[in-house]
Amino acid sequence: MLKIQRDDIIIRKGILHILDSSSGYLGLSGNLLDMGPDLMEFVRGHIFKIIESDDTKKCQFDGSVSPVLSLLETMEEGDDGSFIEATRILAENLFDVMCDSVVIPAADLLCVTFQLNGVVHLALLKMNYKMTYIHRQDEEEGNDIVRQRVMPTDSAKLTEAVIIDLTEYKVQLVEKKYEMMNGDKINYLSERFLQCYADMAPKKKFQILNKVITDINNRYPEQGMDKRLEAKSRLREEFEENQAFKVSEIGDRLFGEDQEKKREFDEKIERYDMQYDTFTVAKENTIRKLGYQMIETDTGIEIKIPMEEYDRKDNIEILEEPGGGSTIIIKNIEQVKIK
């Protein structure tokens, strides 16, 4: 999806169903919500955070078995009755899956349609209950503080939600694994409810790619520290040039001249089925580790070098000793702050 602004999201209609699996109560609504300006802004904020998150996965329906896809293909979003009935069925199906576990959080399911870049989407926002304290006022007995379950606030980040393009039925979702009654710990939203094939989130892909490269370099200490650090610098350059991580090209660029390292890179990446992936990230915080080189010596000394300083080479010098080992020289120090 193209880079969007929060105000690009136009809320159309919504309905709320209660999925209190902890008590076994399913409260299906028969009426649309009164979507005033404040509620629209609340919903818009949560949808925007999901779309912009690097934790959000892409998912493809299994068209032969997914009841969700079949239902949405017959739903007429412009018809309030059709929308209400479809969301009631979705809520009931999700509730049944939730009841097959004792650890999946109870929640309110906020079902909303919205328009983005001319395309209508359906958002299923699972508003997991949070425990908090509120005051209770009683004129005769005085004021009291009581515990009460509430939905997530507008500043919270939802951990379970689904967004579906109602034109091409592309799916974006955030989800968590929970243990089911049979002992299996699964992504129940994608595997049991949606019945779709979920890709890894961009944040997870970057973590895997970065770890594979780091692990390979750490396996060859005899090649010297500077050469091993150079791989991370090249990975950063690759992203800056392409604004994306092209996995096969990165393998060639970093390890193409070393057959053993290249073979190890290909094998590790194939385990995660990422060998043909090209992905990008939306948040700078996701790739913050590319902003510095972190070194830990065998004696426990840690050195954090900003990548700009490492690339310039003006103030950092790494010398490889003839008998093995390395020396790091930090030059031009004017001030030191002890942390």
Side-chain angles (χ1 to χ4, degrees), residues 57 59-62 65-68 93-94 97 100 104 160 162 171 173-178 180 182 184-199:
K57 306 176 183 179
C59 186
Q60 181 177 352
F61 280 117
D62 184 342
V65 300
S66 176
V68 173
N93 290 347
L94 179 55
V97 177
D100 192 29
I104 294 176
E160 298 184 277
V162 180
V171 182
L173 78 156
V174 288
E175 62 179 346
K176 292 184 67 176
K177 286 186 175 182
Y178 287 100
M180 310 306 287
N182 62 5
D184 293 339
K185 194 171 185 180
I186 65 171
N187 287 312
Y188 74 96
L189 274 181
S190 58
E191 296 178 33
R192 291 276 299 274
F193 173 57
L194 295 172
Q195 296 188 40
C196 67
Y197 301 108
D199 196 5

Side-chain angles (χ1 to χ4, degrees), residues 213 216-217 250-258 261-262 265:
I213 293 169
I216 290 174
N217 282 317
I250 288 171
D252 291 337
R253 182 170 180 177
L254 269 60
F255 306 121
E257 298 178 359
D258 190 320
K261 283 186 176 182
K262 181 61 165 59
F265 176 84

Side-chain angles (χ1 to χ4, degrees), residues 38-82:
D38 290 342
L39 181 54
M40 283 189 179
E41 190 59 26
F42 171 76
V43 174
R44 182 181 293 111
H46 280 297
I47 291 173
F48 180 73
K49 280 186 279 189
I50 294 165
I51 293 174
E52 286 289 286
S53 174
D54 288 326
D55 290 313
T56 300
K57 306 176 183 179
K58 293 181 180 179
C59 186
Q60 181 177 352
F61 280 117
D62 184 342
S64 62
V65 300
S66 176
V68 173
L69 176 59
S70 300
L71 177 65
L72 294 180
E73 286 177 332
T74 59
M75 181 187 78
E76 297 181 21
E77 190 273 341
D79 183 304
D80 291 350
S82 176

